Amino acid sequence: MNRFSYLRAESVEGALAALAADPAAKIVAGGTNLLDLMKYDVEQPSRLIDITRIEGLDEITQSERGIMIGALVSNTTIAYHPAVAENFPLLSSAILAGATPQLRNAATAGGNINQRTRCYYFYDAALPCNKREPGSGCPALEGVNRNHAILGASDDCIATHPSDMCVALAALDALIHIAGPQGQRTIPIAQYHRLPDGSPERDTTLGADELVIGIEIPAEARRFMGNHTYLKLRDRLSYAFALVSVAAGLQMEGDTIADARIALGGVAHKPWRRPQAEEVLIGRAADETSFAAAADVLLEGAQGRKHNAFKIELARRAIIRALGQAAAGTPQSQSDKRIA
């Protein structure tokens, strides 16, 4: 680990000033991802800007617009907060599917949406990696790529985004609130995370001089509170990143689907959502034929490699199963260590 200095910011303005003064600095709060990356010599910040003492960023507030989750709220607090659990249970379920209780206690909302890929080659500083060192190459293309992307990848990078929470946020059309030198702005989550294209070193559209201050869930997403599920398939049920995950929300009118949201995790450089797949479901009966049609659209263009081609069929079956759970109002339990 390289030497670095430490600064405790007392305000958003103070944190932004510190970022502007040192482009090689990094924001730290829970530290559950950044400190690992520093120990592996993947990240080498010259300064850590600790934002954990900034007042107002550790609150969840509710209004007619929906709920606002401060960037410093822990994953545990989000998952069990009454306003989240009651109105947006899909988000609670996705968070409880991720990591361990200890990690969820430390991890924060802002850190979760900014966490970096768990690609083995990215974490091994002795190997080339376009995400870590642009232009150096991507060994995962021909290497061990069991966990890698089947959608939206490029010849420069086939890494996947690791967050469970962000898959649910994508399905709920969350807004990311950001502070920067020019003031505050919001970014729809669909535009926040990037596909790798030719610059995989950039995970998000967040500017280097900007700071995430909160996440807003629009009130209209409450219409999926009765019919939802977060289905996560992984190699080790107790604690592992997703091979494939599905966040599904349906608005039902009898046996007919009035509206639908589907987002996938573990398959692309960002939470994967394709509105055309949701449109396939609207007005149709909630049955396996409809679910399979949506899965085909959602997975159109999927490309497998030597070790991960199985994920295409795995994802198709997971989508069908998840939509069935959502339609029946029987969401996947994150406490039972089995797949329903």
Side-chain angles (χ1 to χ4, degrees), residues 66 94 162 215 217 292:
I215 300 168
I217 315 276

Side-chain angles (χ1 to χ4, degrees), residues 77-96:
T77 299
I78 301 170
Y80 291 111
H81 192 282
V84 177
E86 178 182 351
N87 297 298
F88 311 105
L90 174 58
L91 177 59
S92 293
S93 181
I95 291 173
L96 293 175

Side-chain angles (χ1 to χ4, degrees), residues 93 229-230 234 325 330-338 340:
S93 181
T229 196
Y230 186 72
R234 48 196 148 174
Q325 290 178 351
T330 54
Q332 178 66 45
S333 169
Q334 305 303 344
S335 56
D336 290 344
K337 295 303 181 184
R338 62 186 177 83

Side-chain angles (χ1 to χ4, degrees), residues 1 4 28-40 48:
M1 184 181 290
F4 59 89
V28 66
T32 56
N33 187 208
L34 177 61
L35 298 187
D36 270 351
L37 293 170
M38 292 172 66
K39 287 186 284 187
Y40 281 97
L48 291 184

Side-chain angles (χ1 to χ4, degrees), residues 151-210:
L151 288 160
S154 76
D155 290 339
D156 289 313
C157 182
I158 57 171
T160 54
H161 181 73
S163 169
D164 292 294
M165 184 179 86
C166 289
V167 184
L169 292 176
L172 297 172
D173 268 344
L175 296 169
I176 311 303
H177 287 243
I178 292 167
Q182 308 306 317
Q184 296 189 11
R185 66 186 180 115
T186 59
I187 303 178
I189 192 165
Q191 299 170 21
Y192 186 78
H193 297 102
R194 296 180 67 256
L195 293 178
D197 300 320
S199 53
E201 72 278 8
R202 295 183 57 220
D203 294 331
T204 71
T205 54
L206 183 73
D209 55 357
E210 293 182 314

Side-chain angles (χ1 to χ4, degrees), residues 267-296:
V267 299
H269 199 255
K270 59 182 290 185
W272 187 259
R273 188 173 162 208
R274 186 172 275 164
Q276 299 93 320
E278 298 160 5
E279 292 168 7
V280 164
L281 292 169
I282 296 173
R284 294 183 63 166
D287 58 28
E288 189 162 327
T289 301
S290 301
F291 303 156
D296 289 342

